[in-house]
Amino acid sequence: MTLAPPDTAVPAALARAFEDVDRLGVAFSGGVDSAVVLAAAVRTLGAARVVAVLGVSPSLPATERAAAHRVAAVVGAALVEVETHEGDNAAYRANGPDRCFHCKDELFTRIGEDVVTAHGLDAVAYGENADDARRPDRPGSRAATEHRVLRPLADAGLDKAAVRALARAWDLPCADKPAAPCLASRIPHHEEVTPEKLAQVEAAEAALRDLGLADLRVRHHGDIARLEVPAADLVRVASEPLRAQVNAAVRRAGFRWAVLDLAGMQSGAFTLEVLNRA
């Protein structure tokens, strides 16, 4: 659809998602999609009737956790954390293409058990947008359906561009933030997800961001860290002095080798690869 207008109004199609809601919980990550859902809910229902719910586990980087708190504070919504234990689930650890289903299923279960009653919520929403709804590599959507979680952005027909336009119009601090999938997405399917691997990826990515690489992925291939950066950064990363600094940072995180992927950034690469072979 066309970009949202550059004003502070909540689009009517989005506001309709909250018409029958008294108190709403928003499954919140601090990313642009869930932040726009949270901001729209606060603008429509009022801050006292909205709670942001952040799932915390080893798959959530500490930097993302802190950023989520900052965004919720700007929006004006209370934020509560729930510990999720997807790592206790053998199906999640097995890391098939449905891993995201097990992760979201755990999150929505925890919200239902720990937050809905405590905060008197009558509905929960999350940040699936219209582009996500059309993608085949989003098994978390099935978990949302099973738990009757609302998806206001997708239902309003708001795609990624429209969501970002709203975030900018509302001066959200995450408006231009790159997508930040959970750390488990860096591990190839059918290779076990472990806290040790997640910690390695988190350490490497944090060190690379300290070197000025804002948008990147460190894919975990055993001793090898496969680095994905935007095409515009490929030459810079491969050139001195950054090349040596990147290599040292990756090795400090516990990898033996750093490999630069010339394909650049690849959203959903592991899942799409498996689906395309099926």
Side-chain angles (χ1 to χ4, degrees), residues 1 11 17-18 32 49 56 80 98 110 114 128 137 147 155 167 175 191 194 198-199 214 227 246:
M1 72 178 287
F18 311 118
V32 64
R49 295 166 59 191
V56 177
V80 299
D98 64 346
R110 293 288 173 182
D114 300 344
E128 178 183 274
D137 60 327
H147 287 268
D155 288 347
E191 294 186 14
T194 68
L198 297 175
L227 311 183
V246 166

Side-chain angles (χ1 to χ4, degrees), residues 35-73:
V36 166
V37 173
L38 185 68
V42 166
R43 288 165 178 266
T44 304
L45 300 173
R49 295 166 59 191
V50 180
V51 177
V53 187
L54 177 66
V56 177
S57 77
S59 69
L60 177 70
T63 53
E64 293 296 316
R65 183 178 183 178
H69 278 267
R70 289 193 295 271
V71 174

Side-chain angles (χ1 to χ4, degrees), residues 3-7 32 160-170 175:
L3 296 183
D7 59 33
V32 64
K160 291 182 184 296
V163 171
R164 289 217 182 254
L166 273 176
R168 294 183 186 112
W170 293 343

Side-chain angles (χ1 to χ4, degrees), residues 21-122:
V21 176
D22 181 36
R23 290 184 56 78
L24 179 72
V26 177
F28 183 67
S29 68
V32 64
D33 293 324
S34 62
V36 166
V37 173
L38 185 68
V42 166
R43 288 165 178 266
T44 304
L45 300 173
R49 295 166 59 191
V50 180
V51 177
V53 187
L54 177 66
V56 177
S57 77
S59 69
L60 177 70
T63 53
E64 293 296 316
R65 183 178 183 178
H69 278 267
R70 289 193 295 271
V71 174
V74 169
V75 172
L79 185 148
V80 299
E81 293 185 345
V82 293
E83 287 190 9
T84 61
H85 302 278
E86 60 271 14
D88 294 343
N89 183 342
Y92 170 86
R93 294 195 307 274
N95 197 22
D98 64 346
R99 182 199 65 245
C100 287
F101 166 80
H102 300 292
C103 184
K104 282 290 193 293
D105 183 60
E106 166 70 4
L107 173 62
F108 296 144
T109 297
R110 293 288 173 182
I111 292 174
E113 292 176 351
D114 300 344
V115 182
V116 168
T117 300
H119 292 270
L121 307 179
D122 60 324

Side-chain angles (χ1 to χ4, degrees), residues 92-212:
Y92 170 86
R93 294 195 307 274
N95 197 22
D98 64 346
R99 182 199 65 245
C100 287
F101 166 80
H102 300 292
C103 184
K104 282 290 193 293
D105 183 60
E106 166 70 4
L107 173 62
F108 296 144
T109 297
R110 293 288 173 182
I111 292 174
E113 292 176 351
D114 300 344
V115 182
V116 168
T117 300
H119 292 270
L121 307 179
D122 60 324
V124 175
Y126 86 127
E128 178 183 274
N129 62 55
D131 287 330
D132 292 336
R134 289 189 286 268
R135 289 184 58 153
D137 60 327
R138 291 292 187 270
S141 180
R142 177 162 62 93
T145 299
E146 293 183 3
H147 287 268
R148 299 182 180 179
V149 174
L150 305 178
R151 52 196 97 205
L153 302 177
D155 288 347
L158 294 171
D159 59 17
K160 291 182 184 296
V163 171
R164 289 217 182 254
L166 273 176
R168 294 183 186 112
W170 293 343
D171 292 325
L172 299 183
C174 58
D176 296 308
K177 178 184 176 185
C182 80
L183 293 172
S185 67
R186 316 302 199 265
I187 301 171
H189 287 309
H190 306 300
E191 294 186 14
E192 185 180 12
V193 175
T194 68
E196 294 76 19
K197 291 178 182 177
L198 297 175
Q200 269 187 290
V201 171
E202 180 176 7
E205 292 192 352
L208 296 180
R209 288 193 178 92
D210 287 343
L211 293 175

